């Protein structure tokens, strides 16, 4: 039995058949609000149940609870406000209770019942979610650029939207759940990433896999900040790693279209909830998970989980690893008796600098097959 | 055994539109049959939504190489 969906039921707001046809026709007559790709990904994640139990964008009551208590108004853990921002001009004459068509590139993708229209305090939002008001923080900067009103209410997806180029690896929660069941997996650990894999990542994944039936490697595709690895580079790097170093029958690789928010501890919990909806029972929480700069302490993303004994997915905190020349492999401080002179610390920043300079990171940091794939890209980083 | 039924009121206008639809398009022997069909379609759509049946999901997973 894989993990029970968050809130008890996998939300499904994808409309099909005759009802879809009727709603597509209805959408033509409705007031239209154009959304960004980021919002489109949220719409998709709501509709397919990745954000269960959300059935739409947060109304003010839930928003306030999430902001201040990290829970929905019914006390279900929820740490990241999933909101839809609009300007007064975009909203026009729309009133609470009206239906609107949410469009992407002019085409209606969803119909939303506007239950609530409310103002919000962006600084308060930034302080609560990102623990800083500093506009240099990428999530805060994005927040300050959002529009003055939020609208909340349930939605129905009437047109499939996807992140072009990764359809082959895009599985929705219903699909991963069937897949895990077919594989006979009862315990599944998820690994969230926005990086190309180095030996440290491989170590934590395999350490976790030792104790469960299967591993879901689940990188995010979608908006990332400048300097992060491009989505296609991450996917190609994992293809190489899995091909050469992973047992095929105990790992699933799939991508998740969801923006990075860099909200550190709050986002770590959010990442865990989403993976619970995909059927995972365990979630690897990284050191400084979803962090950026020095906004969060290195283990804040671990500590926050103690506030959620009712989360329904088990967080795994795996110690920082390093390569030990004396041990001849990846180890951590608890199992390696050797001194610093033998230890090769694996730093993502250092690897990034080597790749930027066109140099191949050493085999004590990155698998050669992975390094070769990454270096094949003219520019592997988001500009 | 006859299925147990209950009564639901709908507007006369809608009732007459359904009658006209059946007369023009056929396919249903009564307004009741039409309404039961449409409601079932909607409910089944709601239950399954965008999700295919488990067999169809397996088929997709096989075509993608996951199974």
């Amino acid at each position: 039995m894989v993990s029970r969906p968050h809130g008890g039921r996998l939300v499904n707001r994808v409309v099909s058949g005759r009802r879809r046809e009727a709603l597509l026709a209805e959408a033509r007559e409705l007031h239209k609000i154009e959304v960004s790709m980021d919002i489109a990904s949220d719409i998709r994640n709501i509709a397919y149940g990745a954000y269960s139990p959300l059935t739409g964008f947060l109304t003010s009551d839930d928003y306030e609870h999430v902001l201040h208590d990290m829970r929905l108004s019914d006390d279900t853990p929820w740490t990241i406000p999933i909101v839809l921002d609009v300007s007064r001009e975009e909203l026009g004459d729309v009133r609470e209770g009206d239906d609107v068509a949410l469009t992407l590139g002019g085409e209606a993708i969803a119909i939303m019942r506007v239950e609530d229209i409310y103002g919000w305090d962006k600084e308060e939002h930034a302080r609560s979610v990102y623990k800083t008001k500093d506009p240099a923080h990428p999530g805060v900067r994005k927040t300050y650029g959002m529009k003055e009103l939020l609208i909340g209410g349930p939605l129905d997806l009437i047109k499939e939207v996807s992140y072009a180029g990764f359809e082959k690896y895009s599985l929705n929660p219903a699909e991963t759940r069937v897949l895990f069941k077919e594989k006979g997996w009862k315990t599944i650990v998820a690994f969230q990433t926005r990086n190309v894999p180095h030996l440290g990542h491989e170590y934590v994944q395999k350490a976790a896999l030792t104790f469960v039936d299967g591993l879901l490697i689940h990188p995010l595709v979608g908006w990332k900040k400048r300097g992060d690895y491009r989505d296609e580079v991450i996917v190609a790097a994992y293809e190489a790693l899995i091909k050469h170093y992973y047992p095929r029958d105990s790992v699933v690789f799939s991508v998740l279209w969801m923006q990075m928010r860099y909200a550190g501890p709050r986002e770590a919990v959010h990442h865990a909830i989403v993976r619970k909806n995909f059927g995972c029972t365990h979630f690897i929480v990284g050191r400084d998970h979803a962090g950026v700069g020095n906004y969060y302490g290195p283990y804040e993303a671990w500590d926050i989980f103690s506030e959620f004994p009712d989360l329904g997915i088990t967080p795994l905190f795996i110690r920082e690893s390093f390569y030990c020349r004396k041990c001849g492999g990846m180890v951590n401080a608890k199992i390696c008796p050797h001194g610093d002179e033998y230890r090769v610390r694996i730093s993502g920043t250092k690897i990034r600098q080597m790749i930027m300079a066109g140099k191949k990171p050493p085999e004590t940091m990155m698998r050669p097959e992975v390094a070769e794939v990454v270096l094949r890209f003219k520019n592997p980083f988001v500009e | 055994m006859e299925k147990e039924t209950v009564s639901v009121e709908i507007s006369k206008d809608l009732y007459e539109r359904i009658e006209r639809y059946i007369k023009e398009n056929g396919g249903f022997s009564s307004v009741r049959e039409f309404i039961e069909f449409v409601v079932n379609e909607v409910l089944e759509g709601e239950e399954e939504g965008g999700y295919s049946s488990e067999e169809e999901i397996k088929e997709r997973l096989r075509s993608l190489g996951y199974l």
Side-chain angles (χ1 to χ4, degrees):
Chain A
M1 184 73 177
V2 298
S3 190
R4 205 167 146 260
H6 200 52
R9 191 181 136 258
L10 194 66
V11 165
N12 173 18
R13 307 289 300 194
V14 185
V15 180
S16 59
R18 289 191 187 189
R19 185 162 172 246
R20 178 176 174 270
E21 284 168 33
L23 290 181
L24 278 169
E26 190 188 325
R28 284 194 278 274
E29 310 301 322
L30 292 174
H31 182 87
K32 292 171 185 61
I33 294 175
E34 178 72 10
V35 300
S36 64
M37 281 295 277
D38 284 345
I39 295 291
S41 73
D42 283 338
I43 292 171
R44 193 178 194 284
N45 286 330
I46 290 167
Y48 276 100
Y51 290 170
S52 298
L54 302 193
T55 55
F57 290 101
L58 296 187
T59 55
S60 55
D61 190 26
D62 277 330
Y63 173 75
E64 291 295 331
H65 275 89
V66 170
L67 212 58
H68 302 298
D69 309 330
M70 297 193 286
R71 287 175 181 271
L72 297 170
S73 50
D74 67 359
D75 209 35
T76 305
W78 198 271
T79 51
I80 295 289
I82 304 298
V83 292
L84 175 52
D85 61 309
V86 291
S87 65
R88 286 181 205 286
E89 295 72 42
E90 281 175 315
L91 202 55
D93 292 331
V94 172
R95 298 281 172 268
E96 288 175 2
D98 290 351
D99 285 350
V100 293
L102 304 179
T103 63
L104 182 66
E107 271 196 272
I109 58 168
I111 291 183
M112 175 181 171
R113 169 70 46 89
V114 180
E115 280 184 354
D116 204 359
I117 302 170
Y118 55 106
W120 59 311
D121 182 334
K122 293 180 188 176
E123 283 201 355
E124 188 192 9
H125 181 103
R127 200 176 50 244
S128 300
V129 176
Y130 300 104
K131 301 183 85 173
T132 175
K133 295 193 288 182
D134 182 359
H137 182 294
V140 175
R141 189 165 56 242
K142 231 176 162 185
T143 301
Y144 290 167
M146 287 167 72
K147 295 155 196 167
E148 67 266 34
L149 295 173
L150 300 178
I151 58 175
L155 59 82
D156 290 303
L157 186 76
I158 56 173
K159 186 175 182 297
E160 185 55 58
V161 279
S162 61
Y163 193 67
F166 301 99
E167 292 82 359
K168 178 182 160 192
Y169 288 122
S170 297
L171 299 181
N172 62 47
E175 289 166 341
T176 51
R177 286 172 170 273
V178 170
L179 179 57
F180 298 155
K181 193 172 121 190
E182 278 303 290
K183 285 178 172 288
W185 294 354
K186 290 186 172 58
T187 49
I188 303 103
V189 64
F191 184 79
Q192 137 80 36
T193 187
R194 60 183 163 103
N195 277 308
V196 298
H198 55 54
L199 290 192
H201 298 132
E202 186 181 335
Y203 174 80
V204 294
Q205 290 168 15
K206 288 182 173 174
L209 181 55
T210 307
F211 299 100
V212 295
D213 298 328
L215 165 70
L216 171 66
I217 300 175
H218 215 199
L220 295 192
V221 293
W223 183 83
K224 293 190 194 77
K225 68 178 172 58
R226 204 170 153 206
D228 276 4
Y229 289 98
R230 280 166 41 207
D231 297 328
E232 52 272 42
V233 181
I234 298 169
V235 170
Y238 265 104
E239 283 174 337
L241 182 70
I242 292 167
K243 181 180 169 194
H244 293 284
Y245 297 98
Y246 281 70
R248 206 180 142 81
D249 58 356
S250 54
V251 61
V252 165
F253 179 77
S254 173
V255 300
L256 172 61
W257 180 26
M258 185 169 84
Q259 60 176 307
M260 265 306 293
R261 290 174 165 89
Y262 305 95
R266 273 192 184 239
E267 195 166 10
V269 175
H270 180 65
H271 285 164
I273 291 171
V274 170
R275 274 38 180 248
K276 176 185 171 188
N277 285 327
F278 276 84
C280 298
T281 53
H282 295 70
F283 180 71
I284 298 169
V285 188
R287 183 185 169 277
D288 196 23
H289 190 111
V292 61
N294 294 315
Y295 293 101
Y296 313 107
Y299 298 103
E300 253 186 273
W302 292 13
D303 298 339
I304 192 173
F305 280 85
S306 64
E307 295 179 46
F308 300 98
D310 53 344
L311 201 59
I313 181 167
T314 306
L316 296 181
F317 310 122
I318 300 174
R319 284 163 183 264
E320 207 179 347
S321 59
F322 48 84
Y323 187 89
C324 173
R325 294 184 201 282
K326 186 91 171 169
C327 294
M330 291 299 295
V331 288
N332 64 55
K334 199 176 177 189
I335 57 173
C336 171
H338 307 115
D340 263 353
E341 67 273 26
Y342 295 105
R343 295 178 178 184
V344 181
R345 307 270 171 197
I346 301 177
S347 146
T349 311
K350 212 183 277 177
I351 291 178
R352 198 171 275 124
Q353 284 164 355
M354 288 179 199
I355 288 168
M356 270 177 183
K359 288 182 190 156
K360 195 172 171 181
E363 291 189 24
T364 50
M365 290 189 182
M366 185 177 263
R367 297 287 191 186
E369 294 87 347
V370 173
E372 279 157 24
V373 163
V374 176
L375 285 167
R376 236 179 267 154
F377 286 86
K378 198 174 166 200
N379 181 7
F381 303 103
V382 175
E383 288 183 324
Chain B
M1 197 174 73
E2 189 102 349
K3 270 194 283 184
E4 199 182 345
T5 59
V6 292
S7 298
V8 176
E9 289 186 4
I10 61 168
S11 70
K12 190 160 183 287
D13 178 47
L14 181 61
Y15 186 90
E16 286 169 356
R17 277 174 60 199
I18 299 170
E19 268 190 328
R20 273 201 304 279
Y21 178 91
I22 294 170
K23 203 172 167 190
E24 284 163 18
N25 299 284
F28 300 93
S29 60
S30 66
V31 171
R32 176 180 143 178
E33 193 182 303
F34 177 93
I35 289 175
E36 284 197 342
F37 173 79
V38 171
V39 171
N40 266 321
E41 282 277 296
V42 171
L43 291 179
E44 278 165 23
E46 275 288 286
E47 282 151 17
E48 288 174 14
Y51 300 146
S52 331
S53 67
E54 194 166 315
E55 263 320 301
E56 282 174 301
I57 290 179
K58 284 183 204 166
E59 196 44 54
R60 178 164 190 263
L61 291 170
R62 271 191 283 273
S63 73
L64 291 174
Y66 281 100
L67 282 177

